[in-house]
Amino acid sequence: MNVAESYVKLVLAVGRHDADYVDAYYGPDEWKTEAESASVPLPEVERRASALIAEIGDQPDTPHIPASRRTFLCRQLEALVARVQMLRGTRFSFDEEARALYDVTPPINTEPHFQDLVSRLDGALPGHGPVPERYVSYRNRFVIPAGRVDAVFQAAIAAGRERTARHIPLPPNESFIVEYVTDKPWSGYNWYQGSCRSVIQVNTNLPIYIDRAVDLACHEGYPGHHVYNALLEQTLVRDRGWLEFTVYPLFSPQSLIAEGSANYGIELALPGAERNEFEREVLFPVAGLPASSVDEYYGVQTLVRELSYAGNEAARRYLDGEIDADAAVQWLERYALMAPALARQRIRFFDKYRSYVINYNLGQDLVRAYVERAAGPSEDQRWAVFAELLSSPLLPSSLSGDSA
Ligand SMILES: [Zn+2]
């Protein structure tokens, strides 16, 4: 059995014990049938994974299995071992878990850091009173009316696709469908189906603010998850026969690349001024919102985005047992400026996905730094580096230049 097949089968075996683990699989049907017919006990999965890591480590580099491929497989397998240990009852701290599963060390920010950022919003927001309440009521003026959500999304998706296709040759026949769902701990999700197709789900439980349209369209669709998965399939699976990419284990270093590139893809496809123009001329009118407010709204959003790491601190403190759910909700309201219902939804996300939260903002910062370092200021070069990143077995530690 070759190493890619062994790896895929181990990932599928973990999926039998952890329903969230296998995010996508489009490899041979018989491997799935085999995994479904016999459940491998977790200690045996761990033993096999450790043996496979040793086997891959001992192999020489060849054109078919170059160093980058072997390093990727080993690091993914080390994360698989850590996830198995968690399923067997090991409690890692938030930081230990992030290192073991996502190949990065999350930064730590203090409460005064967020207090400073929040106070900077005081002058940017209309009205008076405490910033968190004021921001929530201000943002509530920019909710997409329920009946216009799909039209707004379709317009945002079209813009993301058009801008992406200018720079990245998209695989023929790539496509996705959008479904509207409720009662999920996330706001959007891409379920990759293989054959360059995705199902993108949007959670409509809570009001959807206008800024989420471009964010979700680019993150889940173009040039985010949908394009990432389609390029991996085309470049690595079809062209090179690297079958390990037919499976996507959610709690693995690959997720930092996936979420980081999907978030960076938003600002790459629609950088500041271009985005404001698109929002003003297309999205706000489709949503029936006042286009004259675009610059003020996105000026505020730019400041609020700097608070995203407050969410990581809430997760770290909550998951490390330093604060309870109510205190975490309060923290999210105060420093991540979330409306109460959104903060509650976020706690559900923490419970289910744990340190996964760092993949979004830290991933975005790492991908941006990597692309800008390699490409310089040229937009064409940035897209070229980004497309290469979406088509290669890169690891988070390679992004930051740390040894892998
Ligand atoms: Zn995502």
Side-chain angles (χ1 to χ4, degrees):
M1 195 188 290
N2 70 39
V3 292
E5 180 175 347
S6 304
Y7 166 81
V8 171
K9 288 181 172 179
L10 282 168
V11 172
L12 295 176
V14 177
R16 289 295 307 266
H17 301 272
D18 176 357
D20 299 314
Y21 190 65
V22 181
D23 193 71
Y25 177 65
Y26 55 88
D29 285 339
E30 55 270 28
W31 295 358
K32 194 175 182 190
T33 312
E34 187 187 315
E36 281 165 0
S37 65
S39 177
V40 183
L42 288 170
E44 176 60 16
V45 173
E46 189 175 339
R47 194 197 63 73
R48 288 184 198 174
S50 300
L52 186 57
I53 292 168
E55 185 190 331
I56 296 169
D58 286 343
Q59 286 185 353
D61 290 344
T62 65
H64 185 55
I65 309 193
S68 60
R69 188 181 180 196
R70 291 198 300 134
T71 306
F72 177 84
L73 279 167
C74 283
R75 193 64 198 81
Q76 289 284 110
L77 282 164
E78 285 164 9
L80 178 145
V81 169
R83 184 67 186 175
V84 167
Q85 289 167 346
M86 288 169 67
L87 294 169
R88 295 179 69 191
T90 300
R91 299 286 300 185
F92 293 118
S93 71
F94 183 87
D95 289 343
E96 288 167 345
E97 186 186 304
R99 276 192 290 272
L101 297 183
Y102 308 116
D103 199 32
V104 285
T105 301
I108 293 175
N109 289 291
T110 61
E111 194 161 2
H113 167 74
F114 297 115
Q115 285 164 343
D116 276 358
L117 290 176
V118 169
S119 65
R120 281 171 48 195
L121 268 158
D122 202 23
L125 278 172
H128 302 281
V131 166
E133 288 88 337
R134 202 156 23 120
Y135 173 68
V136 168
S137 67
Y138 174 69
R139 201 182 186 200
N140 281 342
R141 288 160 42 193
F142 298 91
V143 169
I144 306 169
R148 300 191 183 206
V149 164
D150 188 53
V152 172
F153 267 117
Q154 295 303 337
I157 289 165
R161 188 176 195 285
E162 189 259 320
R163 285 161 173 78
T164 302
R166 266 189 232 161
H167 300 278
I168 300 179
L170 295 171
N173 305 323
E174 61 75 23
S175 70
F176 60 77
I177 57 168
V178 180
E179 296 176 352
Y180 296 94
V181 299
T182 54
D183 196 29
K184 304 291 180 190
W186 34 256
S187 53
Y189 212 106
N190 179 314
W191 303 98
Y192 192 65
Q193 310 290 301
S195 305
C196 299
R197 288 177 299 112
S198 297
V199 173
I200 292 174
Q201 292 187 324
V202 176
N203 185 3
T204 58
N205 252 37
L206 299 176
I208 299 178
Y209 304 105
I210 187 68
D211 51 287
R212 299 297 293 147
V214 162
D215 285 0
L216 277 175
C218 291
H219 179 104
E220 308 294 346
Y222 306 103
H225 293 321
H226 173 67
V227 173
Y228 175 55
N229 283 293
L231 289 182
L232 286 180
E233 181 174 10
Q234 177 178 264
T235 312
L236 300 184
V237 176
R238 291 193 198 162
D239 293 355
R240 296 197 205 168
W242 292 7
L243 291 186
E244 64 269 32
F245 285 94
T246 61
V247 77
Y248 172 20
L250 191 66
F251 306 107
S252 74
Q254 206 184 338
S255 278
L256 183 130
I257 304 288
E259 301 301 353
S261 61
N263 265 1
Y264 175 67
I266 303 166
E267 58 181 86
L268 183 64
L270 285 142
E274 201 178 321
R275 175 164 180 170
N276 284 16
E277 187 186 337
F278 172 69
E279 300 270 357
R280 186 165 38 245
E281 289 177 6
V282 179
L283 281 199
F284 273 56
V286 173
L289 294 172
S292 57
S293 309
V294 163
D295 288 339
E296 180 187 76
Y297 185 64
Y298 283 96
V300 169
Q301 289 306 116
T302 300
L303 293 174
V304 171
R305 275 195 204 112
E306 293 183 39
L307 288 164
S308 79
Y309 279 90
N312 299 21
E313 290 306 323
R316 175 191 276 114
R317 290 164 190 225
Y318 171 65
L319 294 168
D320 283 347
E322 290 169 24
I323 57 174
D324 64 12
D326 288 341
V329 165
Q330 274 182 18
W331 175 285
L332 288 173
E333 289 177 15
R334 191 174 304 145
Y335 298 123
L337 307 188
M338 290 185 184
L342 183 58
R344 290 276 164 205
Q345 178 175 294
R346 201 63 188 155
I347 302 299
R348 284 180 65 197
F349 191 96
F350 293 168
D351 286 332
K352 195 172 173 68
Y353 299 107
R354 303 182 49 83
S355 66
Y356 193 94
V357 294
I358 58 127
N359 290 328
Y360 298 96
N361 46 14
L362 182 57
Q364 180 177 5
D365 288 344
L366 289 173
V367 168
R368 182 194 304 109
Y370 172 83
V371 170
E372 292 184 355
R373 195 169 58 236
S378 152
E379 192 195 359
D380 286 345
Q381 267 305 106
R382 286 184 184 183
W383 277 98
V385 172
F386 185 71
E388 174 66 25
L389 171 69
L390 298 188
S391 315
S392 63
L394 258 191
L395 286 161
S397 45
S398 321
L399 285 184
S400 54
D402 295 349
S403 66

